[in-house]
Each structure stands twice: as structure tokens, then as C-alpha cells.
Amino acid sequence: SNHAWMRKTCDLVLQIVREKSGLLHADTLTKLALSLARLQMTCPASVVLRLMLDKGCVPSMHLLSLVVFHIAKTEIGTYLASNYLFQVCDFYNCLNDKKGNHAVKVELDTLVFNLVLDACVRFKLSLKGVSLIELMSMTGIVADAHSIV
């Protein structure tokens, strides 16, 4: 089945990254994360996203939105997507601290947050939703009409 093959693919990628971290490119990892997310393999998809973040890479907002859209279809996936957003914001904050006056603007957009906020409403995760809205304000991401439910 597709799930078994994707599990083997993910395991192989993780092994390659452990042995030769520079061998796989970010776009390959992004495609893997999207494929895993589309199959509702949320934990492996978030592992790949975190692996990319450890390498200093964040997928483009278009692709990240697609991955988050698929991950946040389940309650566990919503927790994982929310935690990933916190980690990405922390990653950009660390970059800002290192660069001093040459701060890096957080590249996340409102759509990614809205996808996770919508899932928080669906799964009745009100505290997680509130913390995401607070994170948006702390990072300067402007909420829109869809952000406040």
C-alpha cells in the first residue's frame, strides 16, 4: 500500500540525513513532507518539517500551507502543526537575535495560521487557538477576519 511505501521512504530519508546530512535538498524534503501529509501520516510529515527546520530551511509559504492544510485535518495533526508554527517563529527570533539590527522578518503568513486556527475550532482546542493568536501578535503577523472565529 501507499502508506507502507511512504513509511519506508521516510525511514530511508531519515537514515540518509543521519549519515550524510547534506545529501538531500530542501525541495526533496518538502515534497516528502507534502506526500506524507496528503496520506494523513502526520507524525512523519512533521518529523520531516522539523528536520528541515534543524537544517535552517522553511518551505515556501505556498507549499507550507498545503502541508499544514493536510496535517491539520486530525486533532493530533493540529497539535503538531501548531507546535511547528511555534518552532518556526522561535527559529526566526533566534535569527533576529544573531543578526542584531539586521532583523529577519518572520516569513509565515496569515493563511498558515488561519488553517491551524480553523482546526483548533473544529477540535475544540481553545487554549491552543488563543496561544496561536498571541503568537501572531508577538511576531507581527496581522490577523484578518478569518483569524478571529
Coordinates of all heavy atoms in Angstrom, one line a residue, residues 7 24 32 42 48 53 58 72 86 90 112 144:
R7 N 6.2 5.0 4.4 CA 6.9 4.8 5.7 C 8.3 4.4 5.4 O 9.3 4.9 6.0 CB 6.1 3.7 6.5 CG 6.9 3.2 7.7 CD 7.1 4.3 8.7 NE 5.8 4.7 9.3 CZ 5.7 5.7 10.2 NH1 6.8 6.4 10.5 NH2 4.6 6.0 10.7
L24 N 20.5 15.4 0.9 CA 19.2 15.7 0.5 C 18.9 17.2 0.5 O 19.2 17.9 1.4 CB 18.2 15.0 1.4 CG 18.2 13.5 1.3 CD1 17.3 12.9 2.4 CD2 17.8 13.0 -0.1
L32 N 8.5 15.3 0.2 CA 8.2 14.2 1.0 C 7.2 14.5 2.1 O 6.3 13.8 2.4 CB 9.5 13.7 1.7 CG 9.4 12.5 2.6 CD1 8.8 11.3 2.0 CD2 10.8 12.2 3.3
T42 N 0.7 12.2 9.7 CA 1.0 13.5 10.2 C 2.3 13.5 11.0 O 3.1 14.4 10.9 CB -0.2 14.0 11.1 OG1 -0.4 13.0 12.1 CG2 -1.4 14.3 10.3
V48 N 9.7 15.4 9.2 CA 10.4 15.9 8.1 C 10.5 17.4 8.1 O 11.5 18.0 7.9 CB 9.8 15.4 6.8 CG1 10.4 16.1 5.6 CG2 9.9 13.9 6.6
L53 N 13.8 22.3 9.4 CA 14.0 23.5 10.3 C 15.3 23.4 11.0 O 16.0 24.4 11.1 CB 12.8 23.6 11.3 CG 12.7 24.9 12.1 CD1 12.6 26.1 11.1 CD2 11.6 24.8 13.0
V58 N 12.9 26.5 5.8 CA 11.4 26.5 5.9 C 10.9 26.5 4.5 O 11.3 27.2 3.7 CB 11.0 27.8 6.7 CG1 9.4 27.8 6.8 CG2 11.6 27.9 8.1
A72 N -3.4 19.4 9.4 CA -4.4 19.8 10.4 C -5.8 19.2 10.3 O -6.7 19.7 10.9 CB -4.5 21.4 10.4
F86 N 5.1 27.4 16.2 CA 5.8 28.0 17.4 C 7.4 27.8 17.1 O 8.1 28.7 17.4 CB 5.4 27.3 18.7 CG 4.2 27.9 19.3 CD1 3.0 27.4 19.1 CD2 4.3 29.1 20.1 CE1 1.8 28.0 19.6 CE2 3.2 29.7 20.6 CZ 1.9 29.1 20.4
D90 N 10.2 30.7 16.7 CA 11.3 30.7 17.5 C 12.6 30.7 16.7 O 13.6 31.4 17.0 CB 11.3 29.5 18.4 CG 12.4 29.5 19.5 OD1 12.6 30.6 20.2 OD2 13.1 28.5 19.6
V112 N -1.4 30.4 6.8 CA -0.9 29.2 7.6 C -1.5 29.2 9.0 O -2.0 28.2 9.4 CB 0.6 29.2 7.6 CG1 1.1 28.1 8.4 CG2 1.2 29.2 6.2
D144 N -6.6 38.5 10.2 CA -7.7 39.0 9.4 C -9.1 38.5 9.9 O -9.1 38.0 10.9 CB -7.5 38.7 7.9 CG -7.4 37.2 7.6 OD1 -7.8 36.4 8.5 OD2 -7.0 36.8 6.5

